[in-house]
Amino acid sequence: MSETADPDLSPAPGAERFGHLIERRDDADFPFYDGEPTTLSVPQWILAWVSVAVGIAVLMFTPQPNNLVALIPRTLFVVIPLVTLALITRPYWTALFRRVTRRDVLTMFGFAVLTLAVSSSLALIVRAFSDTAANEATDDVGSLGVIDVIAFYVGTGIQLVGEEIFTMIPLLAVLYIFFAKVKVSRRTAIVVAWIVSSLWFGAAHLPTYDWNVAQAFIVIGGARVVLTLAYIRTKNLWVSTGAHVINDWTLFTPSIIQNAAFVAI
C-alpha cells in the first residue's frame, strides 16, 4: 500500500533545521514527510490517524475491573495503530523508533524533569483561577495486592507507549500535509504539527480531568509540548516515551506509597 518517494520532495537542507537547542546536530530526520523512507498519501495518513482514534476508543470504553484486565485494552491501544501503520508502510513502520544510546537515556531524564517543572508551574497558574480535577488512576492502587500493583506499572508503561504513538502519528500527518501539500517551510510545518498534536493530546484528556478545559489544554497540553520536543530533538519515539514514563511514574508512585501505608496502618 505504500507509495514510492515523491520526486518533488527532498530532505530538508541544514538551513531548514532548527538550532541545536531544538534539533540535535545530526542527520536524523522525521520519517514519511519528505518521501523518506516512503511516502504516504493523504488518505493513508487519514487512515493512520483514524487508527489512533480507534485505539483510544478501545482504551476508554473497554471495561477495566482491575489492572490485569486493563492490560488488554492498553495493549490494543498500542497494537491497533502500529499494525495499521505497518500495513500502510510495510517494513518502514519501525522508522518511528531508533536505537537508544546512553545520550538518549540522559535526554529522557532531562525531559522528564523539564516536563514536571513545566506542568507543575502551569498547574499552579490554572489553580489560581479555576478548580482542577484529580487523576483517579492511582486512588485505589496502593490498597491492592502486589500482582495488581505490578500490572498497574506494566499497564501504564504500555499505555504511555500508546500515548506517544497517539501523538506522533498526527504530528507526522500534519507535518506531511503542511510541508508537502501546503508547501510551507519545514520549520513552519513542524511548529504547526507540534501545536495541533499537543491540542489533540490535551483534548483526549478532557474525560480524565472531568472536562476541565483549562487543565486539559493548558496543563496537559503544556506538558505535551515539552514531551513532543523530546521526539523533535531526537526523532526517536523511545526517548519521548521514556521521558513520559519517568514523568508519570514519578507522579504516581508517591500516591501509591501513601495509599499503601494508609492501608497498612
Side-chain angles (χ1 to χ4, degrees):
M1 294 176 66
S2 61
E3 299 179 351
T4 56
D6 188 334
D8 293 331
L9 299 176
S10 58
E16 270 290 281
R17 293 178 71 88
F18 286 100
H20 70 277
L21 292 178
I22 303 297
E23 294 189 83
R24 285 178 177 172
R25 292 176 175 171
D26 56 24
D27 60 356
D29 202 0
F30 303 100
F32 310 128
Y33 82 101
D34 64 350
E36 293 293 336
T38 189
T39 299
L40 278 66
S41 65
V42 172
Q44 287 173 324
W45 275 122
I46 293 172
L47 177 60
W49 198 324
V50 168
S51 74
V52 301
V54 171
I56 200 168
V58 170
L59 178 66
M60 293 174 65
F61 297 114
T62 301
Q64 301 176 28
N66 57 60
N67 286 294
L68 285 171
V69 174
L71 289 172
I72 297 172
R74 284 169 167 167
T75 300
L76 290 173
F77 182 40
V78 174
V79 169
I80 290 170
L82 283 186
V83 168
T84 303
L85 190 63
L87 291 172
I88 294 170
T89 67
R90 299 302 182 186
Y92 300 119
W93 67 274
T94 56
L96 287 174
F97 306 92
R98 295 178 179 271
R99 183 175 62 87
V100 175
T101 66
R102 185 179 302 175
R103 182 186 185 189
D104 289 331
V105 174
L106 294 175
T107 300
M108 292 177 194
F109 279 93
F111 273 98
V113 172
L114 182 60
T115 303
L116 284 168
V118 169
S119 60
S120 298
S121 299
L122 292 173
L124 289 174
I125 294 171
V126 169
R127 288 192 189 109
F129 63 83
S130 172
D131 293 330
T132 58
N135 186 337
E136 300 177 356
T138 61
D139 282 356
D140 299 320
V141 176
S143 63
L144 301 175
V146 173
I147 299 299
D148 209 286
V149 171
I150 292 172
F152 172 79
Y153 276 98
V154 172
T156 53
I158 294 170
Q159 180 174 325
L160 293 174
V161 175
E163 290 190 15
E164 292 305 302
I165 297 166
F166 177 82
T167 304
M168 297 315 163
I169 286 180
L171 180 141
L172 293 172
V174 174
L175 176 58
Y176 168 76
I177 290 168
F178 275 80
F179 178 77
K181 301 301 182 183
V182 182
K183 301 295 184 182
V184 301
S185 70
R186 176 181 181 274
R187 282 182 290 192
T188 299
I190 290 172
V191 171
V192 173
W194 198 350
I195 293 170
V196 170
S197 60
S198 296
L199 293 173
W200 165 257
F201 185 81
H205 283 75
L206 282 168
T208 304
Y209 293 99
D210 198 24
W211 299 92
N212 186 315
V213 173
Q215 191 171 1
F217 287 107
I218 297 176
V219 181
I220 303 303
R224 180 68 261 173
V225 167
V226 179
L227 289 170
T228 298
L229 178 57
Y231 179 74
I232 292 172
R233 181 165 178 76
T234 63
K235 317 301 187 293
N236 189 347
L237 193 134
W238 288 130
V239 176
S240 58
T241 298
H244 203 162
V245 169
I246 295 166
N247 174 82
D248 281 28
W249 283 3
T250 299
L251 294 172
F252 289 158
T253 300
S255 176
I256 292 171
I257 292 173
Q258 183 179 11
N259 288 343
F262 178 79
V263 171
I265 292 172

